[in-house]
Amino acid sequence: MGFGGISIWQLLIILVVVLLIFGSGKLKSLGSDLGSSIKGFKKAVKEDESKKEED
């Protein structure tokens, strides 16, 4: 049994279907966009916490 009742084979089939639909180039850009969004969010949270500490 895998993650929440999904086996590893089902995850692999989903991955193959997603690759066929979007292509590897689109997924690469999507991953980098998601990473930069998370990085920006973390930076904003740190800045907000440092402003609260100053007050």
Side-chain angles (χ1 to χ4, degrees):
M1 200 106 136
F3 305 99
I6 299 176
S7 73
I8 189 72
W9 295 111
Q10 292 169 332
L11 290 174
L12 288 174
I13 291 171
I14 292 170
L15 178 64
V16 168
V17 170
V18 168
L19 279 172
L20 289 174
I21 292 173
F22 294 109
S24 62
K26 184 84 169 181
L27 288 178
K28 222 181 275 187
S29 65
L30 181 67
S32 65
D33 290 344
L34 181 64
S36 63
S37 298
I38 291 173
K39 184 187 265 186
F41 178 75
K42 286 182 179 181
K43 183 179 177 185
V45 168
K46 283 184 180 180
E47 288 175 357
D48 189 43
E49 288 176 356
S50 65
K51 285 182 182 179
K52 286 182 180 179
E53 289 176 0
E54 290 176 0
D55 290 340

